[in-house]
Amino acid sequence: GIATTASAGGPAGTVLTDQATLSGGVNPTGSITFRLYGPNDASCSGAPVFTSNAIAVNGNGTYTSAPGYAANAIGVYRWIASYSGDAANAAVAGACNDANENTTITPASPALVTTASAGGPIGTALTDQATLSGGASPTGSITFRLYGPNDASCSGAPVFTSNAIAVSGNGTYTSAPAFTP
């Protein structure tokens, strides 16, 4: 028999693994292979997004998929573990959507911390820096808006809006061009 347990899910970028416990065999050898099916494949009928190396079996026991898979797409992933069998033991495999074999990946929750440039006399160029962290290979853009004096609630029209700054991963991004009041 084969009983399996998938690792916990989490935000995009979480590394997924699976464990299979082989039991009832007579000195089993052979191998266990783990296949992971991606989101939007509830029947596991498409190509796996990940197939482990064949894990050598040396007796009944627990075996873990290696290496893991860093899941960047959002949704439910499904594992299927298969034991190859050997001369004395029949092959056995799990099925799509077996208990404990589904793992949910959720969107990452990035953080954005900003630091404005120092002020100065009229004519001092102003910029802002934003540090993006906690994203899962984030892309997209960051736009900076500057609100003028006497607009403490930022409810009026901005006096300056930066060009959209392309994001290519977590890191620090600076408004461009600078604004000169």
Side-chain angles (χ1 to χ4, degrees), residues 42-159:
S43 64
C44 304
S45 59
V49 296
F50 171 77
T51 301
S52 73
N53 299 323
I55 310 300
V57 169
N58 186 18
N60 294 310
T62 300
Y63 299 87
T64 302
S65 62
Y69 176 77
N72 285 319
I74 307 308
V76 177
Y77 288 78
R78 294 159 176 87
W79 286 100
I80 298 177
S82 304
Y83 167 60
S84 66
D86 60 22
N89 298 284
V92 64
C96 189
N97 293 305
D98 272 352
N100 303 317
E101 285 292 276
N102 294 350
T103 301
T104 301
I105 296 298
T106 58
S109 297
L112 192 65
V113 176
T114 57
T115 305
S117 61
I122 291 180
T124 300
L126 302 177
T127 60
D128 197 14
Q129 281 192 334
T131 300
L132 181 63
S133 63
S137 302
T139 59
S141 64
I142 295 175
T143 302
F144 297 86
R145 290 179 183 81
L146 177 64
Y147 294 85
N150 303 320
D151 190 357
S153 65
C154 302
S155 58
V159 296

